Amino acid sequence: MNTRRTLTLLPLALLLPTAVLRAQASGRQPRTISWDDLLPADWDPLKHFKGLDLADLEDGDPRALAMQQQMREIWDAAPVNQDMLGQQVRLPGFVVPLEDSRDGMKEFLLVPYLGACIHNPPPPANQLVHVLPGKPAKGLRTMSTVWVSGPLGAVRTDSAMGTAGYRIAGADIAPYRERGR
């Protein structure tokens, strides 16, 4: 392995499991996945709230606020799908900026639906991906639709916009286009 490449990968080694680095070095093509692939098979985001009658609660009701706080804590601790870790993946989603500069976006959250984390409470942590582009991504705005490709790792990241359970570092970013267009 060439020394320059080793030095380039060294900071990533601190963030990613060894399996991810092996996948990068092998040059494998990323596998296109869906957001459902990120959910552990046995995880039910609503199991703690089954049987609750929400019909008699109004906005501002202390019981509703307590349930909302409990939901946020459970969703922020949502488990990741261990079977996905270390894989080279390609995932579509919407951009929620975290760090932008004149050179381009340096980090963002990738979210599964329009308005997530902006107009709605954030989705569970296993439905948010913290993206660190390989180079600052130019031309992105809030809710731009993109494809993100790279090695999937499990790094919990808290931000003002939500808690991400996954991270793709050194990501390739491309505009989202449907096949055939």
Side-chain angles (χ1 to χ4, degrees), residues 49-101:
F49 304 100
K50 290 188 177 170
L52 291 177
D53 183 14
L54 304 177
D56 64 336
L57 298 179
E58 295 184 21
D59 289 348
D61 183 316
R63 295 174 298 161
L65 295 174
M67 284 193 328
Q68 186 176 28
Q69 178 62 33
Q70 180 186 13
M71 181 199 77
R72 189 72 269 142
E73 290 169 7
I74 291 168
W75 283 17
D76 285 351
V80 297
N81 182 350
Q82 296 292 321
D83 294 337
M84 296 301 297
L85 303 182
Q87 293 190 30
Q88 287 284 343
V89 299
R90 179 175 179 253
L91 181 67
F94 298 90
V95 171
V96 175
L98 295 178
E99 185 180 347
D100 205 357
S101 72

Side-chain angles (χ1 to χ4, degrees), residues 79-175:
V80 297
N81 182 350
Q82 296 292 321
D83 294 337
M84 296 301 297
L85 303 182
Q87 293 190 30
Q88 287 284 343
V89 299
R90 179 175 179 253
L91 181 67
F94 298 90
V95 171
V96 175
L98 295 178
E99 185 180 347
D100 205 357
S101 72
R102 288 185 301 174
D103 297 329
M105 200 166 296
K106 295 180 178 183
E107 69 177 298
F108 61 90
L109 293 178
L110 188 67
V111 300
Y113 54 86
L114 187 66
C117 301
I118 303 291
H119 301 294
N120 299 306
N126 56 21
Q127 292 291 280
L128 294 175
V129 179
H130 181 219
V131 177
L132 300 168
K135 61 183 180 187
K138 296 182 186 263
L140 296 183
R141 298 186 322 250
T142 300
M143 291 296 140
S144 289
T145 312
V146 296
W147 285 104
V148 172
S149 300
L152 188 65
V155 178
R156 195 145 314 257
T157 304
D158 293 318
S159 74
M161 303 309 282
T163 299
Y166 293 101
R167 176 178 289 166
I168 298 178
D172 291 322
I173 314 301

Side-chain angles (χ1 to χ4, degrees), residues 1 5-22 24 151 155 167 169-170:
M1 182 177 226
R5 183 168 170 84
T6 302
L7 293 175
T8 303
L9 291 177
L10 186 57
L12 289 177
L14 301 173
L15 300 173
L16 302 171
T18 306
V20 172
L21 294 175
R22 278 193 298 257
Q24 265 187 333
V155 178
R167 176 178 289 166

